[in-house]
Amino acid sequence: MVTSLRNLTPGRKQDLRLAAALAAPAVIIMLVVAAFPIVRSFWISLTTYDLKDASDSHAFVGFANYLTNLSDPGFWHSLRVTALFVVIAVTTEIVLALALALFLDRPFRGQGFMKILVLLPWAIPPVVSGVMWKWILNPSYGAANGLLSQLGIIDSYIIWLGEPMRALFLVAMVDVWKETPFIMLIILAALQSVPKELYEAAKVDGASAWKTLSNVTLPLIRPTLFVVISLRTIWALKSFDLIYTITSGGPSEGTTVLGYYAYLESFVRLRLDRGASVSFIMAAIVMVVVLLYQRALYREVAR
């Protein structure tokens, strides 16, 4: 590389220096904003860093915090809750987004207005969505109980977030309501790139709607499906804002996902060392998921 730089013309060298000078501020900002906090957090995860202990000397303990978390039943409980949340939310989102995209891919009157209406939940900030749904599901004055009571569906108000499994399911459904429009938008863009001649050929061959979907549409948008599935899985694995605003991890830790568990360790129990180690365990899980999705994607594309 050094030899190739020496062979450059003076004008080319000047262009490279100018490009480096222009990129330097952005690189420095990224190092300060992103790289330094990551390195600092990783170092904290390798030390003792308990803010409740005034005598804590922040001694280096290696991977002891990671082993402590891996032996903690609370960590494994939050991991199981996270896995269940991801399966419920991502599966429902993909199926619903695909159905909406197929519906909106066909021209009809009011199609533009319908697209705007479907995208509205995605435009609402997550914290605002969480507070809004917490009010809707309130057992005393929530809109959900009021509407169902007026329709005669329920006789008495329901404590929607009073049971762990029901609370987890409802939080997952709020995530579905919030994130499905984003997936639908990406799938819709992929559907519009499918040549219409293929649909016409399938119709001439007498293929049913299901055959057309399974043999024409899905194979052609499979790479896009893998991308959105991987993105949503990653985002669902690190969910925190909806959990924090709607249930705060309750009831009975029924919605304590890994992200909220890391928050409890760091900012409630003030054990920054264990909280940082949980965060890096989450990062490792996310990287494993990304690699699995990438391998599956390239295997399917190669076929």
Side-chain angles (χ1 to χ4, degrees), residues 102-144:
L102 290 170
F103 172 71
L104 294 175
D105 189 43
R106 299 184 177 183
F108 59 90
R109 179 171 295 184
Q111 184 185 39
F113 174 76
M114 183 63 68
K115 289 180 181 179
I116 296 174
L117 190 64
V118 171
L119 286 172
L120 282 179
W122 183 51
I124 301 175
V127 174
V128 177
S129 299
V131 173
M132 179 181 69
W133 277 99
K134 186 176 183 179
W135 288 349
I136 291 174
L137 298 172
N138 187 281
S140 301
Y141 54 81

Side-chain angles (χ1 to χ4, degrees), residues 235-271:
W235 294 344
L237 280 170
K238 59 186 187 66
S239 292
F240 170 78
D241 36 24
L242 287 179
I243 302 293
Y244 179 79
T245 52
I246 298 177
T247 63
S248 297
S252 302
E253 299 183 346
T255 58
T256 302
V257 294
L258 278 176
Y260 193 78
Y261 180 80
Y263 161 79
L264 290 177
E265 288 291 334
S266 298
F267 303 109
V268 177
R269 300 171 187 136
L270 300 180
R271 297 185 294 210

